């Protein structure tokens, strides 16, 4: 039986794009996001190979509605939205849920982890992995210079020594890439938008590098992937 995993995040960068009902070639419109990439890499790291799974619901953060009193039941708004996302994953009959949220500059990671532990004790039919990206998910791009260089030789991102301390890593990446795009003579770079470049680099990210360079957010999140990974042991 192929496991069904739901994914929740800020947008398509995190949870990817599903096949369009209007598409003739369904696979053409089925794209992995950051979360699917990280899960696949974690599976290879754990088991030595990719294991198949089906993407269930793709849940957008802003569309998660909280019931009256939902915020009071949890330590933070992100925890309340995680609880609501678990409910959606249950309705979707998913086996697991992978959830990530940008913390902006609110520093609520510890509170979210408390809510995660509570939800795991309350829910036994959906495995839950959750965490934060400190400031923004694009901190991962600033963290892994080798992934950047492998995809775009000559592109050097600024402010990469402490990615989790950069207030707006998306703006840094976009600025550096657009400047590189202007200077390069490579046609494929000229024709690759910064959002497409972001996807290409995400596909090359190293889990070990993220653990080392983004320990408070993405590194911790990767550790929390264990809950969903255990599903694949059965």
């Amino acid at each position: 039986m192929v496991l069904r995993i739901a994914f929740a995040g800020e947008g398509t960068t995190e949870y990817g794009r599903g096949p369009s009902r209007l598409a003739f070639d369904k696979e053409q419109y089925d794209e992995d996001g950051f979360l699917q990439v990280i899960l696949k890499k974690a599976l290879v790291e754990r088991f030595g190979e990719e294991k198949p799974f089906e993407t269930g619901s793709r849940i957008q953060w802003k569309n998660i509605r909280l019931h009256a009193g939902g915020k009071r039941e949890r330590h933070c708004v992100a925890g309340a939205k995680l609880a609501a996302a678990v409910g959606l994953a249950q309705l979707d009959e998913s086996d697991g849920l992978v959830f990530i949220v940008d913390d902006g500059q609110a520093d609520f990671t510890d509170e979210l982890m408390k809510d995660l532990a509570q939800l795991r004790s309350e829910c036994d039919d959906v495995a839950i992995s959750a965490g934060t990206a400190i400031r923004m998910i694009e901190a991962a791009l600033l963290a892994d210079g080798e992934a950047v260089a492998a995809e775009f030789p000559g592109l050097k991102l600024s402010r990469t020594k402490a990615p989790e301390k950069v207030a707006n890593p998306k703006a840094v990446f976009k600025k550096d890439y657009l400047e590189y795009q202007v200077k390069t003579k490579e046609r494929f770079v000229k024709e690759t938008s910064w959002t497409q470049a972001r996807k290409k680099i995400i596909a090359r990210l190293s889990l070990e590098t993220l653990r080392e360079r983004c320990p408070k957010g993405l590194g911790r999140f990767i550790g929390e992937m264990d809950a969903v990974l255990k599903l694949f042991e059965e």
Side-chain angles (χ1 to χ4, degrees):
M1 181 186 72
V2 176
L3 293 168
R4 184 176 179 84
I5 309 297
F7 297 90
E10 301 280 341
T12 56
T13 298
E14 286 77 16
Y15 52 70
R17 297 180 185 274
S20 169
R21 294 180 181 177
L22 301 177
F24 292 104
D25 181 1
K26 298 296 184 184
E27 292 185 1
Q28 180 181 352
Y29 293 88
D30 194 3
E31 296 180 349
D32 286 345
F34 175 85
L35 296 175
Q36 287 95 334
V37 169
I38 294 300
L39 176 55
K40 288 180 178 180
K41 289 178 180 291
L43 286 167
V44 171
E45 185 179 74
R46 173 72 64 88
F47 301 105
E49 62 180 356
E50 279 194 18
K51 287 183 174 284
F53 63 86
E54 176 187 359
T55 294
S57 293
R58 291 174 167 89
I59 304 167
Q60 188 171 27
W61 166 267
K62 70 178 183 180
N63 290 334
I64 300 174
R65 299 290 181 253
L66 302 180
H67 63 79
K71 295 180 184 178
R72 293 194 299 272
E73 297 172 2
R74 305 297 171 185
H75 292 85
C76 62
V77 172
K81 289 211 171 192
L82 173 59
V86 170
L88 293 172
Q90 290 172 319
L91 290 174
D92 187 42
E93 297 185 343
S94 289
D95 301 289
L97 169 69
V98 182
F99 174 103
I100 197 166
V101 60
D102 295 349
D103 86 333
Q105 297 189 37
D107 295 326
F108 53 73
T109 301
D110 289 342
E111 286 74 16
L112 177 60
M113 292 300 102
K114 293 176 184 177
D115 288 327
L116 173 59
Q118 184 178 345
L119 284 163
R120 283 173 173 166
S121 69
E122 297 170 358
C123 175
D124 59 4
D125 58 343
V126 176
I128 313 166
S129 294
T132 64
I134 302 300
R135 306 307 175 249
M136 296 178 184
I137 202 78
E138 283 79 10
L141 307 180
L142 304 190
D144 198 338
E146 290 187 2
V148 172
E151 191 65 42
F152 298 101
L155 172 57
K156 294 182 179 180
L157 301 181
S158 58
R159 306 187 66 185
T160 58
K161 291 185 178 181
E164 293 185 322
K165 293 183 179 180
V166 178
N168 192 335
K170 179 189 290 186
V172 172
F173 173 75
K174 182 177 180 180
K175 175 179 178 294
D176 289 347
Y177 180 76
L178 292 179
E179 289 178 354
Y180 167 74
Q181 197 175 35
V182 169
K183 295 176 182 178
T184 188
K185 295 180 180 179
E186 296 289 346
R187 182 176 176 180
F188 86 94
V189 175
K190 297 287 190 185
E191 297 175 351
T192 302
S193 69
W194 74 271
T195 54
Q196 292 171 326
R198 178 174 57 185
K199 292 178 185 177
K200 291 177 179 293
I201 295 169
I202 285 174
R204 290 182 176 270
L205 291 173
S206 160
L207 298 187
E208 190 59 37
T209 298
L210 294 182
R211 290 188 186 101
E212 179 182 345
R213 303 294 303 280
C214 301
K216 294 181 180 179
L218 295 174
R220 195 170 177 180
F221 165 70
I222 293 168
E224 294 296 340
M225 290 293 295
D226 189 64
V228 168
L229 292 177
K230 286 181 178 178
L231 291 172
F232 294 84
E233 296 176 352
E234 300 176 0

